[in-house]
Amino acid sequence: VIDQLVRETGISSIPWREAIRRLEAEGWMEVVPQVGARVTTFDTDAYAQTMQVLARLEGYATALALRNISADTVEAAQEVNQNMLKALEEFDPVRFTRLNRDFHFIIYEHCGDAHLFSLISAEWSRLDVIRRAAFTLVPGRARASVIEHEALLNLLADNRNFDAVEVAARQHKLNSLQAVHTHEASAVGETTQGMSA
């Protein structure tokens, strides 16, 4: 509640309202009439739908990059992937998420379709917090992601097969979605088991 924030911090309501408006516009907060602002909760259905759409967009963008990508670009992506592997030693989900974004956008920048690139960028920004949570909750997914990146880079460097690249990139995204679903199902199972014990 803004009035309470003003009392607790001594900061006037105008900067608080502006901050909340910006956070709401970026999807970090939601304003509930007669209640106040609260942190946006994890909406499993919206996450799943967005990830499924992104799987298609990213698969296509990665395959489109085949015609523009160079050996130097593949090498740059490999270097980021190696840094992701090192980041697993003392796992920092924020750093890992940033490196993951860097890895993918090195490739997407070469798709040659500015509108497609813009759509992917917007969705990634919206899902950054959820991705970070996914890597924290399902740390095994982070290691699997690095391995899948390597396989994708091999396809980009060697195969040059549009369909194979598109399918691999799409499946990479869907694997993350599946990991979150599996984790949530096991968490629900543990809760149910705990309640019946």
Side-chain angles (χ1 to χ4, degrees), residues 117-152:
F117 182 82
S118 175
L119 288 171
I120 292 171
S121 297
E123 290 304 311
W124 270 69
S125 293
R126 205 165 69 77
L127 290 178
D128 273 345
V129 170
I130 297 170
R131 269 186 238 281
R132 191 157 52 241
F135 286 134
T136 302
L137 294 172
V138 194
R141 178 61 201 143
R143 184 168 298 282
S145 186
V146 171
I147 293 167
E148 291 167 16
H149 287 173
E150 193 61 40
L152 189 57

Side-chain angles (χ1 to χ4, degrees), residues 1 12 20 28 40 72 88 107 124 129 161-162 177 184 195:
V1 177
S12 77
I20 289 170
W28 297 86
T40 303
D72 288 343
L88 290 172
I107 297 168
W124 270 69
V129 170
N161 181 307
F162 186 98
L177 175 58
E184 286 192 335
M195 289 171 67

Side-chain angles (χ1 to χ4, degrees), residues 19-31:
I20 289 170
R21 269 193 223 102
R22 289 180 67 187
L23 290 168
E24 185 181 23
E26 293 173 12
W28 297 86
M29 296 192 83
E30 57 186 343
V31 177

Side-chain angles (χ1 to χ4, degrees), residues 49-60:
Q49 291 167 2
T50 302
M51 289 291 280
Q52 289 166 356
V53 168
L54 271 173
R56 291 180 183 93
L57 294 174
E58 291 181 29
Y60 188 56

